[in-house]
Amino acid sequence: MPREDIAQFTIRSVQVLAEDGTVDEDLAPSLSDDELLDCYEAMKRARRLDERAISLQRRGELGTYAPAIGQEAAQVGSAFAMDEDDWIVPSFREQSALMVRETPPQQILEYAMGMEEGAEIPVDEHALPPAIPVGTQPLHAAGVGWGEAIQESPNVALTYFGDGATSEGDVYEALNFAGVYDAQTVFLCQNNRYAISTRLEDQTAAETLAQKAIAAGIDGIRVDGNDVLGVYRVVSEAIERARDGDPTLVEALTYRRSMHTTSDDPSVYREAAEADEWEARDPIVRFQVYLENRGLLDEETKATIDERVESEIADAIDRANAARDELDPADMFRHVYAEQPPELERQAAAFERKGDRDG
């Protein structure tokens, strides 16, 4: 098909909350004042967790960490749209969404500290553990959504991935599978413009990532990913369609304002002017202006929320550190093989001897 004919396949783009804090009242979702403030606090909590985690990693108290600074609206807005029994299928950067789903920040920190307990999902919580391999989790979500459809359950699976994952064949296979089998799945692509250091235009010639849904025969839609109200509305509608067996690919346009992970230096491949431009579009600041204009947020309320968030994150850090201190590092040699191979036995013995000398 000639390039110029592709335009006939149009992708709708949605924005409810503009960058100046004004709202399209025709599109604004029906959220109570308390729910709006809960969204705001969830975004502030996620931001503060990331900030503290980066500091902890720099001090050598955490392993590699993947912050989501700048992407809070995409994650919080979508997580708030889910019902309690819907499934969340994350990648490795969804701490904002996971905390909305009541994953304690302590557990997220434990995972970053290398503790397997941090990836443990309670039996009654509809969530999958973090997925490190890029693009694999949409396949899991397609399977979960198909399984719910087979059981005639109303539950939906919502999965998160970045723009870089759309360059993996797994993602298209998941979209195609969901379309063929009417899987009750919503695919949320957080298009933050970079796959680590690879710019979006170096990944695809497509005008949008949402249009990749067309080839799979499913719905595709774009939303301003820094607009928490727009994300909530679009994902809510996508979830309801998915309950009827109509999967959707949602492209949330956002920006990863911090590093890909704490082992990355974005200044090597991003211009400072670009980062400054997106700082002015910060999702938390935008939503804060909206709440202030509605009379829901004043200085006293902001201070109360900030103090509560600071206390929660500080307590989570203390608890995670205490849990780590109770562990025996030699456990890393145990529980791997039914019968420990000789090489691992030698490594474990050397580790124990070093511990005795250091002690």
Side-chain angles (χ1 to χ4, degrees):
M1 178 184 296
R3 229 4 118 86
E4 57 271 19
D5 291 343
I6 295 178
Q8 65 179 295
F9 298 113
T10 57
I11 294 295
R12 187 164 67 97
S13 185
V14 174
Q15 182 187 67
V16 175
L17 180 62
E19 292 174 22
D20 62 2
T22 58
V23 169
D24 184 335
E25 295 295 347
D26 292 334
L27 294 177
S30 297
L31 291 169
S32 68
D33 292 349
D34 286 343
E35 288 172 327
L36 291 170
L37 287 172
D38 285 346
C39 281
Y40 174 75
E41 184 165 341
M43 293 167 72
K44 294 281 284 187
R45 182 179 298 105
R47 176 72 57 92
R48 192 60 183 140
L49 174 66
D50 281 350
E51 291 170 345
R52 291 297 307 273
I54 292 171
S55 297
L56 291 169
Q57 192 279 333
R58 296 307 191 222
R59 297 206 303 262
E61 297 181 36
L62 285 185
T64 302
Y65 186 83
I69 294 174
Q71 299 177 223
E72 294 90 353
Q75 294 192 20
V76 170
S78 55
F80 262 88
M82 302 172 70
D83 283 352
E84 183 179 354
D85 290 331
D86 290 332
W87 289 84
I88 179 170
V89 185
S91 65
F92 51 83
R93 197 190 303 276
E94 274 66 59
Q95 47 269 19
S96 305
L98 288 168
M99 285 193 291
V100 171
R101 298 278 293 182
E102 300 186 351
T103 294
Q106 172 190 343
Q107 187 171 335
I108 294 168
L109 291 167
E110 288 176 356
Y111 179 77
M113 289 176 177
M115 298 165 59
E116 63 187 48
E117 291 83 356
E120 184 177 0
I121 305 298
V123 174
D124 58 348
E125 186 174 330
H126 285 195
L128 269 62
I132 300 299
V134 174
T136 56
Q137 70 279 6
L139 287 168
H140 306 155
V144 171
W146 184 36
E148 294 289 4
I150 289 172
Q151 297 177 78
E152 298 184 353
S153 160
N155 300 336
V156 166
L158 171 61
T159 186
Y160 297 86
F161 51 96
D163 51 286
T166 65
S167 297
E168 299 286 344
D170 295 22
V171 172
Y172 178 72
E173 291 165 14
L175 298 174
N176 190 62
F177 184 96
V180 170
Y181 292 102
D182 302 327
Q184 293 169 195
T185 307
V186 176
F187 301 90
L188 180 60
C189 174
Q190 298 171 89
N191 179 1
N192 58 40
R193 319 286 169 145
Y194 289 90
I196 310 181
S197 59
T198 303
R199 300 174 67 89
L200 182 64
E201 52 266 35
D202 295 326
Q203 296 184 63
T204 181
E207 183 178 348
T208 72
L209 296 179
Q211 72 194 59
K212 294 179 180 289
I214 295 169
I218 67 175
D219 290 328
I221 188 169
R222 251 186 171 192
V223 63
D224 182 344
N226 284 13
D227 165 12
V228 68
L229 299 181
V231 172
Y232 177 87
R233 180 185 179 90
V234 165
V235 174
S236 293
E237 294 173 349
I239 286 174
E240 291 312 308
R241 288 195 300 272
R243 296 196 201 286
D244 294 327
D246 294 322
T248 298
L249 169 61
V250 178
E251 177 187 2
L253 296 169
T254 184
Y255 190 78
R256 171 172 45 79
R257 284 186 47 208
S258 56
M259 66 286 291
H260 172 73
T261 70
T262 46
S263 62
D264 172 44
D265 179 6
S267 67
V268 174
Y269 54 86
R270 291 196 320 209
E271 298 292 335
E274 179 185 85
D276 291 343
E277 175 188 350
W278 279 93
E279 183 177 1
R281 303 176 185 176
D282 186 276
I284 296 179
V285 174
R286 184 191 305 193
F287 193 41
Q288 181 172 300
V289 170
Y290 165 72
L291 295 175
E292 290 170 343
N293 291 341
R294 284 196 54 168
L296 297 179
L297 198 62
D298 55 22
E299 292 304 318
E300 182 180 355
T301 306
K302 282 190 286 186
T304 299
I305 290 173
D306 287 345
E307 290 171 7
R308 184 161 55 236
V309 165
E310 193 68 33
S311 176
E312 288 176 5
I313 300 305
D315 182 65
I317 292 171
D318 289 343
R319 289 174 178 271
N321 282 331
R324 179 189 56 195
D325 292 343
E326 292 177 0
L327 296 177
D328 179 0
D331 279 346
M332 63 180 162
F333 297 102
R334 307 180 183 116
H335 317 301
V336 179
Y337 297 95
E339 295 183 12
Q340 197 173 55
E343 179 59 28
L344 203 58
E345 286 182 352
R346 287 192 291 270
Q347 291 177 24
F351 182 83
E352 295 283 4
R353 287 195 299 271
K354 183 178 185 303
D356 292 339
R357 291 196 301 270
D358 294 343

